[in-house]
Amino acid sequence: MEKIIQLFRSQLKRIDLQFKRYLLGQINWQQRLIVITGARGVGKTTLLLQYIKQNFSQNLDTVLYVSMDNLYFGKNTLSDFTDEFVKFGGKILFLDEIHKYPNWSQEIKNIYDNYPELQLVLTGSAAINIYKGKGDLSRRMVLYKMNGLSFREFLNFKYGFTFSAFTLSELLQNATKISEELNAEIKPLKYFEQYLKKGYYPFFVEDTENYYQRIEQTVNQVIEGDLPSIEHINYTAVYNLRKLLSVISELVPFKPNVSQLSKQLGIDRETFIKYLQWLHKAELLLLLQTNKFGLNKLNKPEKIFLNNTNLLYALCENNPNTGTLRETFFYNQLKEKHSVQYTEQGDFLIDSFYTFEIGGKNKTNKQITDIPNAFIAADNIEYAYKNTIPLWIFGFLY
């Protein structure tokens, strides 16, 4: 354990508190069992270390952070590790990448029940199914999901601009005023294209030139490491998942022909739908459904997108289509706090109430005429006018 403590304190020294993700202030840190999921690379590890540094710098003996892919757990159990930590005065245990530890849910349940004085904070892959494990954690845990950087956070992280987030209702009711206030501070269109290309994953700041290569490496880690550890799949499934993602990357957004695509991969319909579910849970794909309750083995999504615009630039051989970028951005930013559904009229139905048409600056109301609560999210405009709202401003929702 001594080496783990030394590694933890060394990591803590390198953590900067200047920029903090939106989720840090939304978590109820007093809960006994907190689980934070999210795509690989969105900053979950940094979030934990920032919280520790901000709150326990003068009392580090009571807290400990460890990643569950540490070689220590090849020879030692999590239960024994926890027992030693508690015996030496430990109060809060931060366990990163919990999905890397076999049978984690059962051991976490036992630890939770056996050490009532201990608080646990876990992070896991977005693909992890908390409710599927052997231990019944649903009644014990509080679950949070972390998205990649919003456009608002990107402006803060890279340029130091600090803006408050808006709720969707605030934005729709006061779009003209909000757009005027933001434009008085910055020229948003100047930065929006940068965000679409290189602004979703916080690690862009580390090496901009090799950013897309880093994204490809992250995608490979998800498919070759995270999904096999969670779903217990073999090499053939990993190969097919990689092939499926490659095919989808060149087609998005599209209405899938399940028979054609499953035949191309050499798998049956049910397996194809299951693969889509896995890639969706891992935050590599966005699946647009008519049913807000999601995908099941009997139906298919109406449309398929890559999860975010940075993935489009990284995985597509050619430059992404402008319309694809617009729709992907909108869907990605809205899904954090809202249900996003397919609709025959317009492009997206939000919370089963608002209809949105996505387009350029010359987009008209033709396709949403006579639809109540309908709006246009228009690219390449600075100010809102009537029911037409700048697309970039939807990046201020979290």
Side-chain angles (χ1 to χ4, degrees):
M1 182 177 284
E2 185 61 34
K3 289 184 178 179
I4 289 178
I5 293 174
Q6 291 176 2
L7 178 61
F8 157 54
R9 298 197 177 186
S10 175
Q11 290 174 291
L12 203 61
K13 288 180 181 179
R14 298 193 295 269
I15 288 296
D16 187 355
L17 295 177
Q18 186 171 355
F19 170 75
K20 300 168 188 173
R21 293 301 314 278
Y22 74 101
L23 194 62
L24 186 66
Q26 295 181 9
I27 295 173
N28 179 357
W29 294 98
Q30 304 307 310
Q31 296 291 333
R32 273 199 62 209
L33 176 56
I34 296 169
V35 181
I36 303 167
T37 66
R40 179 177 286 276
V42 298
K44 299 186 297 296
T45 299
T46 300
L47 181 86
L48 295 189
L49 292 171
Q50 283 183 327
Y51 175 73
I52 296 170
K53 189 167 187 174
Q54 182 175 283
N55 294 278
F56 300 98
S57 291
Q58 306 303 317
N59 198 18
L60 287 177
D61 291 338
T62 63
V63 300
L64 184 59
Y65 161 91
V66 61
S67 177
M68 299 310 297
D69 60 2
N70 192 297
L71 292 176
Y72 174 92
F73 295 103
K75 297 180 180 179
N76 302 275
T77 68
L78 177 57
S79 295
D80 289 342
F81 174 79
T82 302
D83 185 67
E84 184 178 352
F85 174 65
V86 172
K87 284 179 179 177
F88 281 87
K91 299 294 184 183
I92 310 178
L93 192 55
F94 296 82
L95 304 175
D96 204 3
E97 296 200 283
I98 192 66
H99 61 279
K100 294 293 185 69
Y101 185 82
N103 198 27
W104 64 271
S105 58
Q106 183 62 57
E107 282 205 50
I108 291 295
K109 175 187 177 299
N110 293 340
I111 290 169
Y112 181 95
D113 292 341
N114 294 336
Y115 302 94
E117 72 278 24
L118 179 68
Q119 184 182 3
L120 295 163
V121 182
L122 320 177
T123 75
S125 164
I128 198 169
N129 191 337
I130 299 295
Y131 303 98
K132 187 180 178 181
K134 294 180 180 178
D136 180 15
L137 299 177
S138 60
R139 294 180 293 104
R140 297 167 171 82
M141 70 173 184
V142 179
L143 179 63
Y144 296 90
K145 189 171 183 180
M146 188 172 180
N147 214 18
L149 292 173
S150 66
F151 180 44
R152 181 189 71 87
E153 289 183 301
F154 167 77
L155 291 170
N156 186 348
F157 190 32
K158 186 169 184 178
Y159 295 105
F161 297 119
T162 56
F163 297 104
S164 299
F166 307 104
T167 66
L168 181 60
S169 60
E170 287 173 340
L171 177 56
L172 298 182
Q173 292 173 19
N174 304 290
T176 300
K177 180 181 178 182
I178 289 173
S179 64
E180 289 174 350
E181 290 175 348
L182 291 174
N183 274 280
E185 298 291 328
I186 60 168
K187 293 295 183 183
L189 296 181
K190 174 183 176 182
Y191 305 105
F192 188 50
E193 186 176 358
Q194 295 179 33
Y195 170 79
L196 296 180
K197 291 181 176 179
K198 297 182 178 181
Y200 187 74
Y201 299 98
F203 56 73
F204 77 80
V205 74
E206 298 170 13
D207 186 358
T208 303
E209 289 187 8
N210 297 307
Y211 178 66
Y212 294 142
Q213 183 178 348
R214 176 78 177 271
I215 290 178
E216 290 181 21
Q217 292 171 349
T218 299
V219 170
N220 284 332
Q221 286 177 315
V222 171
I223 294 177
E224 297 173 6
D226 293 348
L227 286 174
S229 70
I230 294 166
E231 301 294 343
H232 309 293
I233 58 179
N234 58 25
Y235 175 79
T236 301
V238 170
Y239 173 80
N240 285 332
L241 283 166
R242 189 187 294 111
K243 186 176 180 181
L244 175 59
L245 185 62
S246 177
V247 170
I248 289 174
S249 298
E250 298 305 321
L251 298 175
V252 292
F254 70 105
K255 292 190 174 186
N257 184 322
V258 174
S259 298
Q260 180 181 333
L261 287 173
S262 57
K263 183 178 180 180
Q264 187 175 344
L265 291 172
I267 57 178
D268 58 37
R269 176 191 174 91
E270 187 173 331
T271 301
F272 176 81
I273 297 295
K274 182 166 61 178
Y275 285 178
L276 289 181
Q277 289 176 324
W278 290 349
L279 293 173
H280 172 66
K281 288 179 181 177
E283 303 247 324
L284 295 178
L285 297 182
L286 294 173
L287 306 179
L288 192 61
Q289 303 290 129
T290 301
N291 183 345
K292 68 178 179 180
F293 297 107
L295 195 67
N296 62 52
K297 65 181 180 181
L298 298 177
N299 63 22
K300 66 181 180 69
E302 295 293 340
K303 292 180 76 173
I304 299 176
F305 299 81
L306 288 182
N307 179 270
N308 59 78
T309 59
N310 290 191
L311 273 177
L312 277 166
Y313 278 103
L315 301 183
C316 297
E317 291 187 7
N318 302 311
N319 283 333
N321 174 272
T322 301
T324 301
L325 287 169
R326 292 166 178 165
E327 292 185 19
T328 301
F329 166 78
F330 183 87
Y331 190 170
N332 175 273
Q333 298 290 283
L334 269 292
K335 74 178 178 63
E336 169 64 13
K337 294 185 176 181
H338 303 273
S339 71
V340 183
Q341 297 169 246
Y342 175 80
T343 176
E344 293 288 349
Q345 295 179 289
D347 291 313
F348 299 101
L349 180 64
I350 306 300
D351 296 335
S352 302
F353 188 76
Y354 300 110
T355 299
F356 282 92
E357 179 75 15
I358 317 300
K361 61 182 179 182
N362 296 320
K363 192 73 176 179
T364 68
N365 284 284
K366 180 179 179 180
Q367 290 170 283
I368 54 174
T369 302
D370 299 326
I371 300 176
N373 304 304
F375 300 86
I376 293 173
D379 196 11
N380 294 315
I381 65 171
E382 295 176 297
Y383 299 94
Y385 176 71
K386 294 185 177 179
N387 73 328
T388 299
I389 301 172
L391 179 64
W392 57 264
I393 212 169
F394 292 93
F396 284 72
L397 295 177
Y398 70 89

Short mmCIF file of all heavy atoms in Angstrom, two decimals, residues 85-120:
data_model
loop_
_atom_site.label_atom_id
_atom_site.label_comp_id
_atom_site.label_asym_id
_atom_site.label_seq_id
_atom_site.Cartn_x
_atom_site.Cartn_y
_atom_site.Cartn_z
N PHE A 85 -6.73 -0.06 4.78
CA PHE A 85 -6.93 1.40 4.72
C PHE A 85 -7.76 1.89 5.90
O PHE A 85 -7.41 2.88 6.56
CB PHE A 85 -7.63 1.74 3.40
CG PHE A 85 -8.03 3.19 3.25
CD1 PHE A 85 -7.07 4.19 3.18
CD2 PHE A 85 -9.37 3.55 3.18
CE1 PHE A 85 -7.44 5.53 3.04
CE2 PHE A 85 -9.75 4.88 3.04
CZ PHE A 85 -8.79 5.87 2.97
N VAL A 86 -8.83 1.19 6.22
CA VAL A 86 -9.71 1.58 7.33
C VAL A 86 -9.00 1.42 8.67
O VAL A 86 -9.13 2.29 9.56
CB VAL A 86 -11.02 0.76 7.30
CG1 VAL A 86 -11.85 1.02 8.56
CG2 VAL A 86 -11.84 1.10 6.06
N LYS A 87 -8.24 0.36 8.83
CA LYS A 87 -7.54 0.12 10.09
C LYS A 87 -6.52 1.21 10.41
O LYS A 87 -6.22 1.48 11.58
CB LYS A 87 -6.85 -1.25 10.06
CG LYS A 87 -7.81 -2.41 10.23
CD LYS A 87 -7.09 -3.74 10.16
CE LYS A 87 -8.06 -4.90 10.36
NZ LYS A 87 -7.39 -6.21 10.23
N PHE A 88 -6.01 1.87 9.39
CA PHE A 88 -5.04 2.94 9.60
C PHE A 88 -5.69 4.33 9.53
O PHE A 88 -5.01 5.34 9.29
CB PHE A 88 -3.90 2.84 8.57
CG PHE A 88 -2.88 1.79 8.92
CD1 PHE A 88 -3.06 0.48 8.53
CD2 PHE A 88 -1.77 2.11 9.69
CE1 PHE A 88 -2.13 -0.50 8.86
CE2 PHE A 88 -0.83 1.15 10.02
CZ PHE A 88 -1.00 -0.17 9.61
N GLY A 89 -7.00 4.38 9.74
CA GLY A 89 -7.68 5.67 9.87
C GLY A 89 -8.30 6.22 8.60
O GLY A 89 -8.72 7.38 8.57
N GLY A 90 -8.37 5.41 7.53
CA GLY A 90 -8.94 5.88 6.27
C GLY A 90 -10.43 6.14 6.36
O GLY A 90 -11.16 5.37 6.99
N LYS A 91 -10.89 7.21 5.73
CA LYS A 91 -12.30 7.59 5.78
C LYS A 91 -12.97 7.60 4.41
O LYS A 91 -14.15 7.28 4.28
CB LYS A 91 -12.45 9.00 6.40
CG LYS A 91 -11.94 9.11 7.84
CD LYS A 91 -12.77 8.29 8.80
CE LYS A 91 -12.30 8.50 10.24
NZ LYS A 91 -13.06 7.64 11.19
N ILE A 92 -12.22 8.02 3.36
CA ILE A 92 -12.80 8.11 2.02
C ILE A 92 -11.87 7.44 1.03
O ILE A 92 -10.69 7.80 0.92
CB ILE A 92 -13.05 9.57 1.59
CG1 ILE A 92 -13.80 10.35 2.66
CG2 ILE A 92 -13.82 9.61 0.28
CD1 ILE A 92 -14.03 11.80 2.31
N LEU A 93 -12.40 6.49 0.27
CA LEU A 93 -11.62 5.75 -0.71
C LEU A 93 -12.12 6.07 -2.11
O LEU A 93 -13.31 5.91 -2.42
CB LEU A 93 -11.74 4.25 -0.43
CG LEU A 93 -10.79 3.29 -1.14
CD1 LEU A 93 -9.33 3.69 -0.91
CD2 LEU A 93 -11.04 1.87 -0.67
N PHE A 94 -11.21 6.55 -2.97
CA PHE A 94 -11.54 6.90 -4.35
C PHE A 94 -10.98 5.82 -5.26
O PHE A 94 -9.75 5.65 -5.34
CB PHE A 94 -10.94 8.26 -4.71
CG PHE A 94 -11.50 9.41 -3.92
CD1 PHE A 94 -11.02 9.69 -2.64
CD2 PHE A 94 -12.49 10.23 -4.44
CE1 PHE A 94 -11.53 10.76 -1.90
CE2 PHE A 94 -13.01 11.29 -3.71
CZ PHE A 94 -12.53 11.56 -2.44
N LEU A 95 -11.85 5.09 -5.93
CA LEU A 95 -11.45 3.96 -6.77
C LEU A 95 -11.74 4.29 -8.23
O LEU A 95 -12.90 4.35 -8.66
CB LEU A 95 -12.20 2.70 -6.35
CG LEU A 95 -12.05 2.30 -4.87
CD1 LEU A 95 -12.94 1.10 -4.56
CD2 LEU A 95 -10.59 1.99 -4.54
N ASP A 96 -10.68 4.51 -9.00
CA ASP A 96 -10.79 4.92 -10.40
C ASP A 96 -10.84 3.68 -11.30
O ASP A 96 -10.15 2.69 -11.05
CB ASP A 96 -9.59 5.78 -10.76
CG ASP A 96 -9.86 6.71 -11.93
OD1 ASP A 96 -11.00 6.73 -12.43
OD2 ASP A 96 -8.92 7.43 -12.33
N GLU A 97 -11.64 3.77 -12.36
CA GLU A 97 -11.78 2.68 -13.34
C GLU A 97 -12.15 1.35 -12.68
O GLU A 97 -11.49 0.33 -12.85
CB GLU A 97 -10.49 2.53 -14.17
CG GLU A 97 -10.20 3.75 -15.02
CD GLU A 97 -9.25 3.46 -16.17
OE1 GLU A 97 -8.05 3.36 -15.93
OE2 GLU A 97 -9.74 3.32 -17.30
N ILE A 98 -13.21 1.38 -11.92
CA ILE A 98 -13.63 0.23 -11.13
C ILE A 98 -13.97 -0.96 -12.03
O ILE A 98 -13.87 -2.13 -11.61
CB ILE A 98 -14.85 0.60 -10.23
CG1 ILE A 98 -15.12 -0.50 -9.21
CG2 ILE A 98 -16.08 0.90 -11.07
CD1 ILE A 98 -14.04 -0.70 -8.19
N HIS A 99 -14.36 -0.71 -13.28
CA HIS A 99 -14.71 -1.80 -14.19
C HIS A 99 -13.53 -2.70 -14.52
O HIS A 99 -13.70 -3.80 -15.04
CB HIS A 99 -15.32 -1.24 -15.48
CG HIS A 99 -14.39 -0.35 -16.24
ND1 HIS A 99 -14.21 0.98 -15.89
CD2 HIS A 99 -13.58 -0.58 -17.30
CE1 HIS A 99 -13.35 1.52 -16.72
NE2 HIS A 99 -12.94 0.61 -17.58
N LYS A 100 -12.30 -2.23 -14.22
CA LYS A 100 -11.11 -3.03 -14.49
C LYS A 100 -10.90 -4.13 -13.44
O LYS A 100 -10.05 -5.00 -13.61
CB LYS A 100 -9.87 -2.13 -14.53
CG LYS A 100 -9.84 -1.14 -15.68
CD LYS A 100 -9.69 -1.87 -17.00
CE LYS A 100 -9.55 -0.92 -18.18
NZ LYS A 100 -8.27 -0.21 -18.16
N TYR A 101 -11.67 -4.08 -12.36
CA TYR A 101 -11.51 -5.05 -11.28
C TYR A 101 -12.58 -6.13 -11.40
O TYR A 101 -13.77 -5.81 -11.40
CB TYR A 101 -11.60 -4.37 -9.92
CG TYR A 101 -11.33 -5.28 -8.75
CD1 TYR A 101 -10.03 -5.56 -8.36
CD2 TYR A 101 -12.38 -5.85 -8.03
CE1 TYR A 101 -9.78 -6.40 -7.28
CE2 TYR A 101 -12.14 -6.69 -6.96
CZ TYR A 101 -10.83 -6.96 -6.59
OH TYR A 101 -10.57 -7.80 -5.53
N PRO A 102 -12.20 -7.42 -11.51
CA PRO A 102 -13.19 -8.49 -11.67
C PRO A 102 -14.16 -8.57 -10.48
O PRO A 102 -13.76 -8.39 -9.34
CB PRO A 102 -12.32 -9.76 -11.74
CG PRO A 102 -10.95 -9.28 -12.12
CD PRO A 102 -10.82 -7.91 -11.51
N ASN A 103 -15.41 -8.82 -10.80
CA ASN A 103 -16.44 -9.00 -9.77
C ASN A 103 -16.51 -7.81 -8.81
O ASN A 103 -16.75 -7.96 -7.62
CB ASN A 103 -16.18 -10.30 -8.98
CG ASN A 103 -17.40 -10.77 -8.23
OD1 ASN A 103 -18.53 -10.49 -8.61
ND2 ASN A 103 -17.18 -11.46 -7.12
N TRP A 104 -16.32 -6.64 -9.36
CA TRP A 104 -16.22 -5.43 -8.54
C TRP A 104 -17.51 -5.14 -7.77
O TRP A 104 -17.47 -4.71 -6.61
CB TRP A 104 -15.86 -4.23 -9.40
CG TRP A 104 -16.90 -3.87 -10.42
CD1 TRP A 104 -17.01 -4.34 -11.69
CD2 TRP A 104 -18.00 -2.97 -10.23
NE1 TRP A 104 -18.11 -3.81 -12.30
CE2 TRP A 104 -18.72 -2.96 -11.43
CE3 TRP A 104 -18.42 -2.18 -9.16
CZ2 TRP A 104 -19.86 -2.18 -11.60
CZ3 TRP A 104 -19.56 -1.40 -9.33
CH2 TRP A 104 -20.27 -1.41 -10.54
N SER A 105 -18.66 -5.38 -8.40
CA SER A 105 -19.91 -4.98 -7.77
C SER A 105 -20.18 -5.75 -6.48
O SER A 105 -20.67 -5.18 -5.49
CB SER A 105 -21.09 -5.15 -8.74
OG SER A 105 -21.19 -6.48 -9.18
N GLN A 106 -19.84 -7.05 -6.47
CA GLN A 106 -20.06 -7.84 -5.27
C GLN A 106 -19.14 -7.39 -4.13
O GLN A 106 -19.56 -7.26 -2.98
CB GLN A 106 -19.82 -9.32 -5.56
CG GLN A 106 -20.11 -10.23 -4.36
CD GLN A 106 -21.56 -10.17 -3.92
OE1 GLN A 106 -22.47 -10.42 -4.71
NE2 GLN A 106 -21.78 -9.81 -2.66
N GLU A 107 -17.88 -7.12 -4.46
CA GLU A 107 -16.94 -6.68 -3.41
C GLU A 107 -17.29 -5.29 -2.89
O GLU A 107 -17.19 -5.02 -1.69
CB GLU A 107 -15.49 -6.71 -3.93
CG GLU A 107 -14.92 -8.11 -3.95
CD GLU A 107 -13.40 -8.12 -3.87
OE1 GLU A 107 -12.84 -7.45 -2.97
OE2 GLU A 107 -12.79 -8.80 -4.71
N ILE A 108 -17.72 -4.40 -3.78
CA ILE A 108 -18.13 -3.06 -3.34
C ILE A 108 -19.33 -3.16 -2.41
O ILE A 108 -19.41 -2.46 -1.38
CB ILE A 108 -18.45 -2.15 -4.54
CG1 ILE A 108 -17.17 -1.82 -5.31
CG2 ILE A 108 -19.15 -0.87 -4.08
CD1 ILE A 108 -16.16 -0.99 -4.54
N LYS A 109 -20.29 -4.03 -2.73
CA LYS A 109 -21.44 -4.23 -1.86
C LYS A 109 -21.00 -4.70 -0.48
O LYS A 109 -21.46 -4.19 0.55
CB LYS A 109 -22.40 -5.24 -2.47
CG LYS A 109 -23.59 -5.61 -1.57
CD LYS A 109 -24.41 -6.74 -2.14
CE LYS A 109 -25.54 -7.13 -1.19
NZ LYS A 109 -25.04 -7.61 0.12
N ASN A 110 -20.08 -5.68 -0.45
CA ASN A 110 -19.60 -6.21 0.84
C ASN A 110 -18.86 -5.13 1.64
O ASN A 110 -19.03 -5.01 2.86
CB ASN A 110 -18.69 -7.41 0.60
CG ASN A 110 -19.45 -8.60 0.04
OD1 ASN A 110 -20.67 -8.68 0.16
ND2 ASN A 110 -18.72 -9.51 -0.59
N ILE A 111 -18.03 -4.36 0.94
CA ILE A 111 -17.29 -3.28 1.61
C ILE A 111 -18.25 -2.24 2.18
O ILE A 111 -18.10 -1.77 3.30
CB ILE A 111 -16.30 -2.63 0.62
CG1 ILE A 111 -15.16 -3.61 0.30
CG2 ILE A 111 -15.74 -1.32 1.18
CD1 ILE A 111 -14.28 -3.17 -0.85
N TYR A 112 -19.25 -1.88 1.37
CA TYR A 112 -20.25 -0.89 1.80
C TYR A 112 -20.95 -1.38 3.08
O TYR A 112 -21.16 -0.61 4.02
CB TYR A 112 -21.26 -0.69 0.68
CG TYR A 112 -22.34 0.32 0.99
CD1 TYR A 112 -22.22 1.65 0.58
CD2 TYR A 112 -23.50 -0.05 1.68
CE1 TYR A 112 -23.21 2.58 0.86
CE2 TYR A 112 -24.50 0.87 1.95
CZ TYR A 112 -24.35 2.18 1.54
OH TYR A 112 -25.34 3.10 1.82
N ASP A 113 -21.31 -2.65 3.10
CA ASP A 113 -22.05 -3.19 4.24
C ASP A 113 -21.16 -3.42 5.46
O ASP A 113 -21.61 -3.26 6.60
CB ASP A 113 -22.72 -4.51 3.85
CG ASP A 113 -23.84 -4.32 2.83
OD1 ASP A 113 -24.34 -3.18 2.70
OD2 ASP A 113 -24.20 -5.30 2.15
N ASN A 114 -19.89 -3.78 5.23
CA ASN A 114 -18.99 -4.14 6.34
C ASN A 114 -18.28 -2.96 6.98
O ASN A 114 -17.78 -3.07 8.11
CB ASN A 114 -17.95 -5.16 5.86
CG ASN A 114 -18.56 -6.49 5.47
OD1 ASN A 114 -19.64 -6.83 5.94
ND2 ASN A 114 -17.90 -7.22 4.59
N TYR A 115 -18.21 -1.84 6.27
CA TYR A 115 -17.50 -0.67 6.80
C TYR A 115 -18.41 0.55 6.72
O TYR A 115 -18.24 1.42 5.86
CB TYR A 115 -16.20 -0.42 6.01
CG TYR A 115 -15.25 -1.58 6.01
CD1 TYR A 115 -15.28 -2.53 4.98
CD2 TYR A 115 -14.33 -1.76 7.05
CE1 TYR A 115 -14.41 -3.62 4.99
CE2 TYR A 115 -13.45 -2.83 7.06
CZ TYR A 115 -13.50 -3.76 6.03
OH TYR A 115 -12.64 -4.83 6.05
N PRO A 116 -19.38 0.65 7.60
CA PRO A 116 -20.36 1.74 7.55
C PRO A 116 -19.75 3.13 7.75
O PRO A 116 -20.37 4.13 7.40
CB PRO A 116 -21.34 1.40 8.67
CG PRO A 116 -20.58 0.50 9.59
CD PRO A 116 -19.65 -0.28 8.72
N GLU A 117 -18.54 3.19 8.31
CA GLU A 117 -17.88 4.48 8.52
C GLU A 117 -17.10 4.95 7.29
O GLU A 117 -16.59 6.08 7.26
CB GLU A 117 -16.91 4.38 9.71
CG GLU A 117 -15.64 3.57 9.46
CD GLU A 117 -15.80 2.05 9.60
OE1 GLU A 117 -16.93 1.55 9.45
OE2 GLU A 117 -14.77 1.39 9.85
N LEU A 118 -17.03 4.12 6.25
CA LEU A 118 -16.23 4.42 5.07
C LEU A 118 -17.10 4.99 3.95
O LEU A 118 -18.20 4.51 3.68
CB LEU A 118 -15.54 3.14 4.57
CG LEU A 118 -14.67 3.29 3.31
CD1 LEU A 118 -13.43 4.13 3.62
CD2 LEU A 118 -14.27 1.90 2.79
N GLN A 119 -16.57 6.02 3.27
CA GLN A 119 -17.22 6.58 2.09
C GLN A 119 -16.47 6.11 0.85
O GLN A 119 -15.24 6.08 0.83
CB GLN A 119 -17.22 8.11 2.16
CG GLN A 119 -17.97 8.77 1.00
CD GLN A 119 -17.91 10.29 1.06
OE1 GLN A 119 -17.26 10.86 1.94
NE2 GLN A 119 -18.58 10.94 0.13
N LEU A 120 -17.21 5.75 -0.20
CA LEU A 120 -16.62 5.25 -1.44
C LEU A 120 -17.01 6.15 -2.60
O LEU A 120 -18.18 6.51 -2.76
CB LEU A 120 -17.10 3.83 -1.73
CG LEU A 120 -16.66 2.73 -0.74
CD1 LEU A 120 -17.53 1.50 -0.94
CD2 LEU A 120 -15.19 2.40 -0.94
#
